[in-house]
C-alpha cells in the first residue's frame, strides 16, 4: 500500500511567497490566565493581529514573559484564547470541539526546545509514534520513517535511543517526528536554545532547506535575532503581550522603529557602542565628539562612504564600532563613528549621508578623554585643517 503521508511536490517558491493567502491568522487574540492564590489575573496576550503567509517563515521574537509560548500554544490549540480567533488553513482552531481539534493537530507539526522524545523508543520509533496514533499501516509507517530519517541525515542512527544521541541529533529526530503526518505548518518553540552555536547553525540550515524544498510554512519562536536573520522572511516583535513591530525581516532589521527591536539589534548587528564608550555617552552637544550611527542599505550600501564624506563633505570620521553583513540576501552594514562636535560638522555629515540614502542618527556625545579620537574642526573652506 502506498504511504498516505507523502511529502508534496514543492510549489514554485516565488508563487508561494507572493501569495496573499494566510495559512495561519490570529485576529484580535487575547489570553488572560485566571488569578491564583490571591494573585491578579495575568494578561499574557492582548489584541494580537498576526498572519503567516503560506510557504513563508515567520519569526516571533520577544523577551521572557512577552507571550511567545502562549502564542504558539494558541496556534496548535493547547490553549484557547480569552478573546479573538485563531485560524489555521480555514479551520478556526480556537472554537473546535476536542475531537475535531485532534484531527486538525495532525496538520500542525511541533518541535520543542528540549526535544520531548520518548526515552524508551529508538529514533525510528519516535518518528513512527504519530503515525501509529493516526492509524497508518505498518508498511506505510516504515516507508515514511525511512524517508524522514534520510531527510534529516539520521539513517545510521535509526536504532539508537535518545540517551545515545547528541543534542543536535535529538532535535533532528524531533523535526522528523514533527513532519511525520505531513503537516501544513511547522511550529518551532525555541528549538535551538539548548544547542551550541555550530549545532544551532546546522539545525537552522535544515529548517531552511525544509521550507525551500518542501514548501512548508514555519512559525518559529525565539529570543535571538540571529535565528530570525538566518531563515525568517518576516518577523513580529512581542513586548508585554502586544506586537511592538512586524514586517519584512530586512526592513525591520535595517529600519527598526520600536525601542525593543533596537535593543535586540544592538546586541546582534554591531549597532551598539563598545561598553567602555556607552558608559561615557552624554547628550548631544555636551562633549567634544558627536557619535553617529550610520546604517548602510540600498544602492550605496557598498560605497566607500567615509572616504567620500572626508573628501567631498569635508568631515573626518573615526570608526568606533561596526559590522558588514547580509540579511535576506541583501547587503547591510552598520558603522558607529565619531565626528567633531564643532558647530555645523554633525549637520553637514547627516545631510551628506542622507543624500546617499543611508540611515544616520546621533547617539550623543563623548568627552575628549573617552577615546583617542581627535576629529579635525573644519576650516573656513569647509575642509578639515591639514598641517
Amino acid at each position: 500500500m502506498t504511504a498516505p503521508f507523502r511529502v508534496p511536490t514543492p510549489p514554485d517558491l516565488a508563487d508561494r511567497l507572493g501569495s496573499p493567502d494566510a495559512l495561519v491568522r490570529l485576529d484580535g487574540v487575547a489570553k488572560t490566565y485566571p488569578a491564583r492564590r490571591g494573585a491578579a489575573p495575568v494578561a499574557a496576550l492582548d489584541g494580537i493581529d498576526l498572519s503567516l503567509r503560506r510557504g513563508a517563515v515567520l519569526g516571533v521574537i520577544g523577551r521572557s514573559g512577552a507571550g511567545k509560548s502562549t502564542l504558539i500554544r494558541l496556534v496548535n490549540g493547547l490553549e484557547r484564547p480569552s478573546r479573538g480567533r485563531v485560524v489555521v488553513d480555514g479551520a478556526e482552531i480556537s472554537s473546535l470541539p476536542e475531537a475535531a481539534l485532534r484531527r486538525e493537530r495532525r496538520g500542525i507539526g511541533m518541535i520543542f526546545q528540549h526535544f520531548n522524545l520518548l526515552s524508551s523508543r529508538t529514533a525510528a520509533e519516535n518518528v513512527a509514534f504519530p503515525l501509529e496514533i493516526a492509524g497508518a499501516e505498518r508498511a506505510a509507517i516504515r516507508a515514511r520513517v525511512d524517508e524522514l530519517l534520510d531527510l534529516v541525515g539520521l539513517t545510521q542512527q535509526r536504532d539508537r535511543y535518545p540517551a545515545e544521541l547528541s543534542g543536535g541529533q535529538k532535535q533532528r529526530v524531533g523535526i522528523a517526528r514533527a513532519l511525520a503526518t505531513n503537516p501544513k505548518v511547522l511550529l518551532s518553540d525555541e528549538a535551538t536554545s539548548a544547542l551550541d552555536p555550530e549545532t544551532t547553525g546546522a539545525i537552522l540550515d535544515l529548517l531552511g532547506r525544509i521550507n525551500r524544498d518542501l514548501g512548508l510554512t514555519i512559525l518559529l519562536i525565539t529570543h535571538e535575532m540571529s535565528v530570525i536573520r538566518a531563515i525568517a522572511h518576516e518577523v513580529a516583535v512581542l513586548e508585554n503581550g502586544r506586537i511592538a513591530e512586524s514586517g519584512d525581516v530586512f526592513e525591520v532589521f535595517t529600519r527598526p522603529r520600536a525601542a525593543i527591536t533596537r535593543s535586540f539589534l544592538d546586541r546582534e548587528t554591531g549597532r551598539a557602542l563598545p561598553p567602555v564608550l556607552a558608559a561615557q555617552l552624554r547628550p548631544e552637544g555636551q562633549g567634544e565628539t558627536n557619535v553617529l550611527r550610520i546604517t548602510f542599505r540600498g544602492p550605496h550600501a557598498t560605497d566607500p562612504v567615509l572616504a567620500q564624506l572626508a573628501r567631498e563633505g569635508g568631515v573626518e570620521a573615526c570608526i568606533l564600532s561596526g559590522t558588514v553583513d547580509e540579511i535576506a540576501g541583501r547587503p547591510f552594514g552598520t558603522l558607529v563613528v565619531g565626528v567633531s562636535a564643532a558647530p555645523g560638522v554633525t549637520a553637514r555629515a547627516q545631510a551628506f549621508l542622507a543624500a546617499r540614502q543611508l540611515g544616520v542618527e546621533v547617539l550623543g556625545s563623548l568627552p575628549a578623554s573617552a577615546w583617542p579620537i581627535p576629529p579635525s574642526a573644519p576650516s573656513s573652506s569647509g575642509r578639515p585643517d591639514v598641517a
Side-chain angles (χ1 to χ4, degrees):
M1 178 178 177
T2 303
F5 298 108
R6 299 292 298 177
V7 174
T9 301
D12 180 77
L13 180 62
D15 289 345
R16 283 196 285 113
L17 297 184
S19 171
D21 183 19
L23 181 67
V24 178
R25 193 174 74 250
L26 283 75
D27 297 329
V29 168
K31 177 63 179 179
T32 300
Y33 293 100
R36 293 183 179 179
R37 296 181 181 178
V42 176
L45 294 174
D46 184 16
I48 299 295
D49 292 309
L50 190 65
S51 63
L52 170 54
R53 293 176 297 140
R54 194 179 300 273
V57 180
L58 169 64
V60 177
I61 187 167
R63 298 191 178 103
S64 296
K68 306 186 302 296
S69 294
T70 297
L71 187 150
I72 208 168
R73 288 172 65 85
L74 288 170
V75 173
N76 65 14
L78 291 175
E79 299 279 0
R80 303 271 184 162
S82 305
R83 186 179 70 250
R85 302 167 65 243
V86 179
V87 180
V88 178
D89 200 24
E92 188 173 337
I93 297 294
S94 51
S95 63
L96 290 176
E98 194 59 36
L101 180 58
R102 284 196 297 269
R103 289 193 297 271
E104 287 298 325
R105 281 203 189 110
R106 294 177 187 173
I108 303 173
M110 183 87 174
I111 53 178
F112 305 88
Q113 178 179 1
H114 296 295
F115 323 125
N116 287 23
L117 302 181
L118 298 171
S119 61
S120 61
R121 282 179 166 247
T122 65
E125 290 168 345
N126 267 281
V127 177
F129 187 60
L131 296 171
E132 294 170 2
I133 293 175
E137 294 185 3
R138 184 174 299 179
I141 291 175
R142 182 172 182 84
R144 181 65 170 150
V145 169
D146 289 346
E147 179 182 25
L148 288 169
L149 289 177
D150 179 64
L151 174 69
V152 301
L154 290 181
T155 299
Q156 300 303 314
Q157 290 79 23
R158 62 173 296 116
D159 296 322
R160 293 186 184 177
Y161 290 90
E164 302 174 292
L165 300 174
S166 68
Q169 290 171 336
K170 291 177 186 176
Q171 195 56 282
R172 288 173 183 271
V173 175
I175 292 170
R177 180 184 60 187
L179 297 177
T181 56
N182 192 20
K184 305 165 188 174
V185 60
L186 179 64
L187 308 181
S188 169
D189 189 6
E190 299 278 11
T192 59
S193 294
L195 305 176
D196 63 76
E198 183 176 356
T199 305
T200 291
I203 293 298
L204 292 176
D205 286 344
L206 174 60
L207 291 176
R209 179 160 56 87
I210 288 169
N211 169 254
R212 290 190 304 272
D213 296 349
L214 308 185
L216 185 61
T217 307
I218 299 177
L219 171 62
L220 60 89
I221 298 295
T222 184
H223 62 274
E224 300 172 291
M225 275 293 192
S226 58
V227 172
I228 303 290
R229 179 173 57 183
I231 64 169
H233 305 119
E234 299 165 357
V235 60
V237 184
L238 274 184
E239 183 177 27
N240 298 325
R242 295 176 175 269
I243 295 178
E245 184 167 2
S246 65
D248 172 81
V249 166
F250 185 82
E251 291 300 318
V252 171
F253 268 59
T254 59
R255 290 177 177 167
R257 301 186 307 274
I260 185 173
T261 310
R262 291 194 293 270
S263 72
F264 277 122
L265 291 171
D266 283 350
R267 299 198 304 269
E268 304 260 2
T269 60
R271 288 169 46 91
L273 275 172
V276 66
L277 295 183
Q280 302 179 70
L281 197 65
R282 304 171 179 176
E284 181 183 359
Q286 295 185 15
E288 288 71 32
T289 300
N290 282 339
V291 180
L292 309 182
R293 178 159 53 206
I294 308 169
T295 302
F296 293 78
R297 49 170 284 162
H300 297 284
T302 57
D303 289 358
V305 173
L306 294 190
Q308 294 172 349
L309 178 63
R311 184 175 61 251
E312 303 171 27
V315 178
E316 292 184 339
C318 181
I319 297 175
L320 304 180
S321 69
T323 186
V324 177
D325 209 337
E326 184 179 273
I327 297 173
R330 298 155 71 182
F332 167 70
T334 299
L335 279 179
V336 180
V337 303
V339 301
S340 171
V345 175
T346 298
R348 190 161 68 252
Q350 289 178 289
F352 183 91
L353 296 167
R356 283 151 180 78
Q357 302 178 39
L358 303 176
V360 57
E361 57 184 312
V362 181
L363 301 183
S365 294
L366 291 172
S369 59
W371 195 266
I373 47 172
S376 301
S379 65
S380 58
S381 65
R383 299 281 180 179
D385 289 326
V386 178

